[in-house]
């Protein structure tokens, strides 16, 4: 018995392995431990994105063609995102204090050299639109997650529910800001910049914000340490996690018209995203069914 | 990512580590040369203060924030912990486990609960207050050197704090623990011989640290909320001592964000609820009131979780 609390932290359908056949073979305790670790992953991801992305909003809102009132909004958004990042880090520590004694990012760990290169590249104004798209789609997805968590609040850990409630209170406004900023910014970009950014967006979403790869495997390693009875099934679990990349149901659970309708509506307006469905399956009409 | 926001003062930490080690060895050397008992007492007191700087550095190392280089971080921790004296990997597991058990029934020394022996809890607390907690760890070097596997053997079923600690120990560190415990004996045996210090005097000086360290161990948690993260208190002593002890007294701030290096702790959380720093001495004296019966139970949600 490694987690004797009866708490659930996320609705099961918001966790990755829920979409794998292997999930049905897990015991209730194993599922609960996985659920908590996945919640930690979600917290890390939110803390990372909310900590990193607002600076690009600020840079973008300072551009000459952007209405001045958006700059003030971007500043307010940046401040509140910093609070959110800190809130999510604190929540992760509360869910697994032992996990975060030596680092604040255990599951979401971009390798240091590529991360430095990416950060340098992202300071190029030409790549800023892609970051704004990332920010928008993640904000909207965050709202969906928050709403789902609040919908099942009575079955979930109160600390998680409280953080999501606070997050949601600001997030609707942030989403509106992103929706207002992006079209003006995107429309002012040259065609080649738009094409480049659309391609990069597809790549980043697929590689880092789609089916679990590195973080998913790290999560399994930690999970197995907490549930040693899973040791013999470790490679099976890793394979199951990796197989999600080929699972339409799983892809639909990440991005779909139900989860990110506003962002998808914006994609529909721009030809650069016409083939987005090849890598973001939830965008393709077939997967949306 | 945390490093960019709150950089580790790596050079300062290394300088403090070397400085602390030099002062500690000097004090131990002087223990063989002083004539009076009072002088020895003075040396023990100074050793106590300086080794608490050593402990603050060990504590940074346990959280991986003494130095950004992981190996250097660990080796600094190992060498400093020899002066505790204890195996670093043993102390580290105890401390990281404390961050999981804090203020749960498994680690609330200001209370005793239904079905527990009040007498035992009083003895346990008073043991902590007079330095016996440190003495227990120092004596456990014998077990660590001979049979570290015994550390996990549950022999005190009635004592939930020890049992919870034992359940969190990771067997993969047993070789490290054994080697570090052997190094403790080798180091202190050599120092006693090389510096020509009689063993009793040598131990008396070490006890100076043992008393201060053990006495402070629960002062930051006594009477705080039964919450794993918020169950701590920011305290203060003299400004110079607070600095020498590397802001260890900003304990609530540390528990709220354990991976932030010591130099940033005072400014980490601001606002009225964080600014009320009590006196460490008063917090210590208050603990002599002893544990009280508490019907409220707070489960250790991480019971049995092995330290990695």
């Amino acid at each position: 018995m490694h987690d004797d609390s009866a708490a659930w932290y996320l609705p099961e359908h918001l966790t990755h392995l829920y979409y794998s056949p292997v999930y049905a073979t897990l015991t209730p305790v194993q599922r609960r431990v996985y659920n908590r670790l996945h919640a930690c992953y979600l917290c890390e991801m939110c803390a990372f994105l909310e900590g990193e992305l607002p600076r690009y909003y600020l840079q973008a809102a300072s551009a000459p063609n952007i209405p001045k009132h958006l700059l003030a909004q971007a500043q307010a958004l940046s401040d509140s995102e910093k609070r959110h990042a800190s809130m999510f880090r604190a929540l992760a520590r509360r869910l697994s204090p032992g996990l975060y004694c030596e680092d604040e990012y255990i599951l979401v760990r971009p390798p240091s050299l590529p991360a430095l290169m990416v950060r340098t590249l992202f300071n190029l104004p030409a790549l800023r639109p892609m970051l704004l798209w990332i920010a928008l789609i993640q904000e909207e997805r965050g709202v969906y997650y928050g709403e789902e968590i609040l919908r099942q609040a009575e079955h979930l850990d109160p600390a998680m529910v409280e953080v999501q409630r606070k997050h949601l209170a600001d997030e609707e406004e942030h989403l509106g800001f992103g929706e207002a900023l992006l079209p003006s910014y995107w429309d002012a970009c040259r065609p080649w910049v738009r094409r480049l950014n659309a391609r990069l967006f597809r790549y980043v979403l697929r590689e880092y914000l789609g089916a679990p790869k590195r973080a998913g495997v790290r999560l399994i390693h930690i999970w197995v340490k907490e549930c040693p009875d899973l040791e013999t099934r470790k490679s099976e679990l890793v394979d199951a996690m990796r197989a999600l990349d080929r699972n339409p149901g799983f892809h639909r659970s990440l991005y779909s018209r139900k989860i990110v309708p506003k962002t998808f509506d914006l994609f529909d307006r721009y030809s650069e995203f016409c083939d987005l469905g090849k890598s973001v399956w939830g965008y393709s009409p077939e997967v949306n069914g | 990512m945390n490093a960019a926001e709150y950089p580790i003062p790596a050079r300062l930490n290394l300088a403090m580590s070397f400085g602390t080690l030099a002062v500690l060895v000097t004090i131990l050397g002087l223990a063989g040369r002083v004539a009076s008992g009072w002088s020895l007492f003075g040396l023990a007191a100074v050793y106590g203060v300086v080794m608490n700087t050593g402990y603050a550095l060990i504590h940074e190392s346990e959280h991986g924030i003494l130095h950004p280089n992981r190996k250097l971080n660990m080796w600094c921790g190992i060498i400093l912990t020899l002066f505790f004296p204890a195996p670093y990997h043993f102390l580290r597991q105890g401390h990281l486990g404390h961050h999981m058990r804090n203020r749960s029934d498994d680690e609330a020394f200001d209370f005793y609960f239904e079905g527990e022996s009040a007498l035992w809890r009083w003895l346990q607390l008073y043991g902590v207050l007079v330095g016996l907690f440190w003495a227990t760890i120092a004596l456990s070097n014998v077990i660590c050197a001979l049979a570290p596997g015994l550390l996990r053997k549950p022999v005190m079923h009635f004592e939930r704090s020890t049992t919870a600690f034992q359940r969190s120990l990771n067997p993969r560190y047993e070789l490290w623990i054994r080697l570090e415990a052997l190094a403790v004996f080798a180091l202190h045996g050599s120092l006693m011989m090389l510096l020509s210090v009689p063993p009793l005097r040598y131990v008396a000086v070490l006890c100076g640290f043992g008393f201060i360290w053990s006495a402070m161990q629960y002062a930051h948690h006594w009477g705080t909320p039964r919450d794993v993260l918020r169950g701590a208190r920011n305290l203060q002593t003299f400004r110079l001592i607070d600095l020498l002890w590397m802001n260890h007294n900003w304990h609530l701030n540390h528990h709220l964000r354990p991976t932030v290096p010591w130099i940033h702790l005072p400014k980490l959380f601001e606002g009225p609820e964080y600014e009320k720093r009590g006196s460490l001495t008063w917090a210590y004296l208050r603990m002599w009131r002893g544990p009280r019966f508490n019907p409220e139970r707070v489960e250790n949600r991480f019971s049995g979780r092995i330290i990695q």
Side-chain angles (χ1 to χ4, degrees), chain B residues 176-197:
Chain B
W176 279 102
I177 289 174
R178 169 173 278 170
L179 293 174
E180 287 160 9
L182 289 171
V184 163
F185 289 111
L187 173 79
H188 292 286
S190 307
L191 282 177
M192 269 188 262
M193 281 201 295
L194 291 172
L195 302 171
S196 307
V197 188

Side-chain angles (χ1 to χ4, degrees), chain A residues 2-4 9 36 48 89-90 93-98 100-105 108 110 225-226, chain B residues 1-2 5 62-63 70 92 96 99-100 227-229 256-259 299-302 304-305 308:
Chain A
H2 301 278
D3 189 344
D4 48 8
Y9 299 89
R36 178 172 49 73
F48 177 69
R89 277 196 298 261
R93 280 195 296 277
R94 179 167 292 284
L95 301 190
S96 278
Y100 296 100
C101 279
E102 293 180 279
D103 208 327
E104 295 196 324
Y105 293 94
V108 178
K225 278 178 189 164
E226 292 198 13
Chain B
M1 284 167 267
N2 190 32
E5 200 179 355
E62 287 168 342
H63 287 286
R70 302 290 265 196
R92 177 180 169 273
L96 299 188
H99 277 273
M100 293 196 284
D227 181 285
V228 67
L229 295 183
L256 288 171
R257 215 160 162 192
T259 54
E299 182 193 17
N300 171 10
R301 289 164 57 226
F302 306 98
R305 181 89 35 87
Q308 300 304 325

Side-chain angles (χ1 to χ4, degrees), chain A residues 105 128 182 217:
Chain A
Y105 293 94
R128 213 167 280 150
L182 236 170
V217 174

